[in-house]
Structures are given as structure tokens and as C-alpha cells.
Amino acid sequence: MHIRIPKGWELPERLATPEDVFLNRRTFLAGSGSIAAVSALPGAAFAAPQDADPTADLYPAQRNAKYQIQRQLTPESVASRYNNFYEFGSHKKIHEAAQALPIRPWEVAIDGEVEKPFKISIDDLIRKMTLEERLYRHRCVEAWSMTVPWSGFPMKDLVELAKPLAKAKYVRMETFKNPEIARGQRASWYPWPYVEGLTIEEATNELAFMVTGAYGKPMAKQFGAPMRLAVPWKYGFKHIKSIVRFTFTDERPKSFWEIVQGKEYGFWANVNPEVDHPRWSQATERVLGTTIRVPTLKYNGYGDFVAQLYTGMEGERTTWM
Ligand SMILES: Nc1nc2c(c(=O)[nH]1)N[C@H]1C(S)=C(S)[C@@H](COP(=O)(O)O)O[C@H]1N2
Ligand SMILES: [Mo]
């Protein structure tokens, strides 16, 4: 087995912000001078009391220590104010606009090649699952990165619940469509709703994670509440937000960015520092909340988990966009 030797710029796990910095509610409430108290403030300011989350009691979820980041966590105040969510605008400052999204009631449809299609409310779905917290790196195709404590459940558990038929080879996921609230969806040159897809093998890989929370509480709307995807070995645009539908299919889905600009954004989108974007280098990444750039790792450093998914597929160029 390949044993990865951490490079000098990779911080040991113990240097990541300790759990109690953002998980200790007393630290939040006391408003002490710690980083946590400061970074907790924006989240509190964004919380819209009218949609109190019926699953809030499930957070903070128990951290799964298997997933190590070897980076510092990105402060919540930074990650929650620098977002890609084109439904609310094609720039990074969408956190206020995103608060208009109603996230309850919220239904998720499971359909296509499954034993029996069904709809389930997000709260029923979350309560069927066991939530855990994972620290994951996130690498946007725009060459910035962050490291976030997500909470949620393995996508594998959702696939099991869906009971796909043998002929289902892919999962197609779809974001809500509501141009009255999401002004970005009035831009008719984009193929709304946002769509993404994975193979069943990818969706059932242990790393594929359905995210419902961040920073020890239900996730803020700008992160893609009430449920988004995290596939940390792939570029950020695969991490589809505010999902309303999972369709199991034998046809490879065409994703939003693939339709918009297929020469630049393809289906696989596995992180690879050796293959540049047609318009910029992917060799390094800007770490959000800092002034440093670090080298980008193949599969974003998650090769031990996922590289075997792509053996024998070299002709498919799985590791460029
Ligand atoms: N529905 C939807 N999902 C989306 C996007 C989007 O515009 N719409 N942007 C993607 C991109 S490019 C990235 S980098 C991440 C950003 O997640 P963040 O805002 O939590 O950092 O969301 C992804 N998921
Ligand atoms: Mo991105």
C-alpha cells in the first residue's frame, strides 16, 4: 500500500482548530474573546428565526476521526461569506440573498430506476440517518480552497434507502427551481435547475457525504441548506446544493456546468494539479482566510480512498475537468 508522507506545509491534525473552539456552545454564548466567539457571530446574524430547524437537536454530531484534513479549519465567518451559489448571483457575496430561500417544508424526491419511487420530507430523511461530523477539504475549480466541519450522513445510506435497480448506473441530482426567490434563476442563459451526477460507485464510496450541517449546527442557507453534497476528491462544482431530487438512471447525466461550458467542465471533475483549466493553472490553491497558496494534491489528497474507482479509465480523462 502507498503510504503518504506529509509534506512540510501539511499541518498535523492537532494544529487544526480544536473541537471546542466551535463546538462548545458555552464558548459561543459567553461571547468570550476567542476566535470562536468572533466567527460564530455572522452565523447567528444570518439565522432567520421563522424557520427554526426541527432537526437542530441532532447537532453537534459526533466527529468521525477517520477523516483527517491536515490543514487549519476555515473560520466560519470566512466560509459563510464567500460562496458559490449561482441561483443567488454569479459572485461570492450571496449570503444575504440566500436567506430568502424557504427550507421548510422541504421534500426530496427519489425516482428513476428504483424499486419504488417516493418522496420524503427532509426531516424524516435526516431522522432515518445517523449524523456524524467530518472535517473535509474543499477545492474549487477556481483555485481556492477551504476546510469545513460538515455534518451529515454517508450518501451510501441514501442509496440504500432508494433501493436502485441493477440497471441504474448513475445518480442525477437536482437543485430547487424558484426564480421568484432565487434571482439568479431569472438569467435565462443558464440551464436551470442546477444538476450534477455521480456514478453509483462514486455515490457509494465512503467519502461521498450528504451534508445537512456545518460548524456544529444545521447548515446556513448559503452552504446549500437543507442538504448538499460533499465529494471532496472532486472540484467544488460537483458539490450540488439545496437538493430536491435524486434520479437513478442508466444514462450519464449532463451537469449544469457541462451544459454551460463543456470544454472546461466535464463529468468527472477529479482534482488534478497536473491538468490546468484552459484559462488558469490548477497547480496551487489559495487557502481561504489566509494569504498563502499551497500545492494542490491529486484527488485533493483523497487518492487512498478513491483512486481505484478510476483504474483502467485513463482514456476517459477522469482527472481533468
Ligand atoms: N445549486 C448549486 N450548487 C452549487 C453551486 C451553485 O452555484 N449552485 N456552486 C458550486 C461551486 S462552484 C462550489 S465551489 C461550491 C461552493 O460551496 P460553498 O459556497 O459552501 O463554499 O458549491 C457548489 N454547488
Ligand atoms: Mo467551485
Side-chain angles (χ1 to χ4, degrees), residues 127-246:
R127 288 200 187 272
K128 275 184 193 291
M129 302 293 166
T130 305
L131 297 192
E132 61 182 65
E133 182 182 71
R134 296 185 181 187
L135 310 183
Y136 269 0
R137 296 189 294 276
H138 175 102
R139 172 58 159 83
C140 176
V141 75
E142 299 162 335
W144 54 266
S145 69
M146 60 178 184
T147 310
V148 178
W150 298 125
S151 308
F153 56 88
M155 187 172 186
K156 188 175 199 296
D157 296 349
L158 184 137
V159 173
E160 272 166 28
L161 185 76
K163 299 199 176 75
L165 302 174
K167 72 186 282 204
K169 300 280 180 276
Y170 301 92
V171 191
R172 178 188 185 277
M173 290 156 279
E174 202 177 283
T175 295
F176 71 86
K177 187 173 174 188
N178 186 344
E180 273 172 30
I181 280 159
R183 297 185 65 97
Q185 292 185 329
R186 298 181 201 172
S188 56
W189 54 91
Y190 285 120
W192 307 109
Y194 199 95
V195 165
E196 260 306 337
L198 296 172
T199 64
I200 298 282
E201 290 73 27
E202 291 174 327
T204 54
N205 182 275
E206 67 174 282
L207 283 183
F209 199 52
M210 299 313 314
V211 177
T212 58
Y215 295 94
K217 52 185 187 270
M219 145 172 84
K221 292 182 182 183
Q222 61 270 30
F223 288 131
M227 186 166 70
R228 61 89 69 77
L229 175 69
V231 276
W233 71 100
K234 291 183 179 285
Y235 286 116
F237 65 86
K238 298 291 292 184
H239 303 220
I240 181 171
K241 294 180 169 184
S242 304
I243 302 168
V244 295
R245 179 179 300 276
F246 294 83

